[in-house]
Amino acid sequence: MATDERRVKRELEEGIERDFTRKMSYGDYLRLDTLLSSQQPLSDPPQHDELLFIIQHQTSELWLKLLIHELRSARKLLGEDELAPALKRLARVKHIQHTLTDQWSVLATLTPSEYAEIRPFLATSSGFQSAQYREVEFLLGNKNADMVAVFSHDETARAELDALLHEPSLYDEFLAYLSRRGYAVPSHLLDRDWTQPYRLDQGLVDVFAAVYSEPHEHWGVYETCEELVDLEDNFQQWRFRHLQVVQRTIGQKTGTGGSSGVDFLRRALDLTFFPELYEVRTRVGG
């Protein structure tokens, strides 16, 4: 018996730290005291499933924070003609997107009856009011000045969104990069009103058609185009999964923030960030 016990017990190695009275611990570095005390359910009497709802959305906000960090970096790198590291950033963005989409499967375990027990305590709060989600949309080019006003109660969030509203998006920086590399990007796309959402331009479709006709001659640009398509495809999958979870949880009810709910989310599926990269597919091999 003693021999069996030794087999299953892993002794602490001599060099492993044990005293953190004066040294930084794992919990100190991650500020876990703050992080793990941030889940404050409001339901009264307490409802078991409210913790799931809170953690689902808090972790989503953490991933969105990293997503913004990576997109901002990719945009900056494109502006500096550093394509390779920009693509590395976008590769990470895609993994973050997959994680965000997969998370919906956890929230989908919340049944309509269970959600009905906690919904009254959400009051008028809604994911629609996520400033970080709007930052991601602005960084990708879906600009909407009306959204900035939603955050008038939060000066920091409002200022961040207003700044992004007036700055080039990731796609705008990619087009500027192409122009500097000698591609015939229409000039009006390089000096436009950045506060406006991007619109399809047939002249740019011609540019991408040339890239897709001879990908090996334009490999870096070709690869970037496909990375952007992957990014948008992932974003649409996230939107659709969101719609599905909402539909199975509240049906056709209005959202807590006052939107029409499922119908509002469904209309978002028609939005696109990089329209020419889809339009050019009609030309390929035609």
Side-chain angles (χ1 to χ4, degrees):
M1 181 63 70
T3 302
D4 290 340
E5 287 179 352
R6 282 196 298 271
R7 286 175 181 170
V8 299
K9 182 178 180 181
R10 184 175 64 170
E11 299 289 345
L12 285 181
E13 296 174 352
E14 190 64 32
I16 290 178
E17 296 287 351
R18 294 170 173 81
D19 184 0
F20 296 97
T21 54
R22 289 191 175 91
K23 297 177 182 178
M24 183 171 65
S25 71
Y26 173 82
D28 295 334
Y29 178 71
L30 296 177
R31 300 189 180 183
L32 292 183
D33 54 344
T34 299
L35 181 65
L36 298 180
S37 64
S38 296
Q39 296 74 47
Q40 300 289 331
L42 298 178
S43 56
D44 185 19
Q47 297 298 319
H48 174 82
D49 297 298
E50 190 176 4
L51 186 62
L52 160 63
F53 194 85
I54 291 172
I55 289 177
Q56 169 86 27
H57 290 83
Q58 285 183 340
T59 53
S60 293
E61 290 295 328
L62 286 172
W63 285 120
L64 286 172
K65 183 173 184 176
L66 182 57
L67 198 63
I68 292 165
H69 177 67
E70 301 297 342
L71 288 173
R72 282 182 176 274
S73 179
R75 184 181 63 167
K76 181 176 183 290
L77 288 165
L78 284 174
E80 297 169 350
D81 292 336
E82 296 286 350
L83 184 62
L87 289 175
K88 178 63 169 64
R89 301 292 189 270
L90 295 184
R92 182 175 292 165
V93 163
K94 292 194 298 182
H95 285 290
I96 298 168
Q97 288 180 302
H98 288 311
T99 298
L100 280 164
T101 300
D102 288 345
Q103 282 190 184
W104 287 119
S105 63
V106 183
L107 195 62
T109 64
L110 191 66
T111 69
S113 300
E114 292 164 345
Y115 180 62
E117 296 295 329
I118 64 175
R119 190 178 190 192
F121 301 96
L122 303 181
T124 55
S125 64
S126 166
F128 176 83
Q129 300 146 13
S130 169
Q132 290 198 125
Y133 176 80
R134 299 304 165 188
E135 285 185 48
V136 171
E137 286 208 317
F138 280 22
L139 278 164
L140 295 178
N142 184 23
K143 304 289 186 72
N144 184 346
D146 291 340
M147 284 305 310
V148 179
V150 174
F151 301 93
S152 57
H153 66 287
D154 183 340
E155 180 55 32
T156 300
R158 190 206 62 77
E160 288 285 354
L161 279 173
D162 190 61
L164 286 173
L165 182 69
H166 291 85
E167 294 171 0
S169 69
L170 176 73
Y171 196 47
D172 292 321
E173 286 291 4
F174 178 48
L175 300 187
Y177 167 83
L178 292 179
S179 179
R180 291 191 299 273
R181 301 287 290 184
Y183 290 86
V185 177
S187 59
H188 62 270
L189 296 180
L190 303 171
D191 185 23
R192 64 183 189 87
D193 182 355
W194 307 125
T195 68
Q196 298 302 305
Y198 188 84
R199 304 297 184 195
L200 174 70
D201 187 278
Q202 290 296 336
L204 185 58
V205 178
D206 294 339
V207 173
F208 287 136
V211 170
Y212 276 78
S213 67
E214 296 182 336
H216 293 290
E217 298 297 319
H218 310 273
W219 192 260
V221 172
Y222 175 72
E223 181 184 6
T224 307
C225 290
E226 287 299 287
E227 287 289 312
L228 292 175
V229 171
D230 286 346
L231 191 155
E232 174 149 344
D233 188 39
N234 289 343
F235 205 96
Q236 289 290 57
Q237 289 182 47
W238 183 92
R239 283 173 169 158
F240 183 65
R241 192 72 182 103
H242 183 194
L243 183 154
Q244 286 182 310
V245 173
V246 171
Q247 188 168 33
R248 69 180 285 166
T249 306
I250 68 169
Q252 297 299 318
K253 292 186 181 73
T254 57
T256 50
S259 76
S260 58
V262 168
D263 288 342
F264 180 79
L265 295 175
R266 185 173 286 115
R267 289 196 295 274
L269 295 175
D270 293 329
L271 298 175
T272 182
F273 300 119
F274 320 123
E276 292 86 2
L277 296 181
Y278 286 89
E279 183 71 16
V280 73
R281 280 150 166 74
T282 307
R283 302 266 199 98
V284 176

